[in-house]
């Protein structure tokens, strides 16, 4: 398979972009709900034992991480920075909201995303 389609540079570039877009879709889809339902989301964060003022700050930080992370991850030359921002959002979110009590499906899905983001962050540019 010397002439494999996966060796075609433009096809590999397309697959790379499509893969980053696909991974980011879950994060991008979460942004509107967090912005439009800001107060409701703050209440939910607070229900986990985090004080209201800190909950608001954490939510603003989460929204920033989602926007910057998705943007850098999809479009930027700084894909590793995007991975970092998305991991900065995803790891604490998984721990705080899905481990206690255990939401097995959410934890496993988030672990898959975390693994993909780590692989992407460690990957050498092509």
């Amino acid at each position: 398979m010397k002439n494999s389609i996966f060796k075609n540079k433009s096809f590999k570039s397309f697959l790379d972009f499509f893969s980053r877009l696909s991974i980011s879709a879950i994060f991008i889809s979460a942004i509107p709900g967090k912005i439009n339902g800001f107060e409701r989301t703050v209440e939910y964060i607070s229900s986990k034992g985090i004080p209201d003022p800190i909950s608001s700050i954490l939510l603003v930080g989460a929204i920033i991480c989602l926007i910057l992370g998705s943007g850098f991850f999809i479009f930027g030359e700084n894909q590793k920075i995007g991975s970092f921002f998305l991991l900065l959002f995803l790891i604490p979110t998984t721990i705080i909201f899905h481990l206690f009590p255990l939401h097995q499906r959410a934890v496993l899905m988030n672990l898959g995303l975390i693994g993909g983001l780590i692989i992407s962050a460690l990957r050498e540019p092509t």
Side-chain angles (χ1 to χ4, degrees):
M1 283 197 146
K2 273 188 174 178
N3 296 323
S4 171
I5 192 167
F6 294 107
K7 292 184 179 183
N8 179 306
K9 195 168 184 116
S10 61
F11 185 71
K12 280 176 65 174
S13 179
F14 168 76
L15 278 181
D16 183 61
F17 176 76
F18 178 77
S19 299
R20 288 182 281 120
L21 184 64
S22 298
I23 290 171
S24 295
I26 191 82
F27 300 107
I28 293 167
S29 68
I31 296 168
K34 291 187 182 343
I35 293 171
N36 295 332
F38 191 88
E39 291 302 321
R40 195 170 358 111
T41 306
V42 168
E43 289 173 13
Y44 181 66
I45 295 169
S46 297
S47 77
K48 296 297 183 174
I50 299 169
D52 282 345
I54 295 173
S55 296
S56 297
I57 293 167
L58 289 175
L59 181 54
V60 169
I63 293 167
I64 290 169
C65 283
L66 289 168
I67 292 169
L68 291 177
S70 297
F72 278 119
F73 191 70
I74 295 169
F75 299 110
E77 289 289 320
N78 300 314
Q79 178 179 334
K80 292 180 185 208
I81 293 172
S83 296
F84 173 77
F85 276 117
L86 294 174
L87 287 166
L88 188 62
F89 164 78
L90 190 57
I91 292 171
T93 299
T94 302
I95 294 167
I96 294 168
F97 298 104
H98 301 302
L99 279 182
F100 307 105
L102 178 65
H103 301 117
Q104 183 178 358
R105 184 175 177 155
V107 169
L108 293 175
M109 286 191 299
N110 286 1
L111 284 175
L113 287 168
I114 289 167
L117 290 168
I118 290 171
I119 287 170
S120 177
L122 297 176
R123 187 180 76 153
E124 294 298 320
T126 55

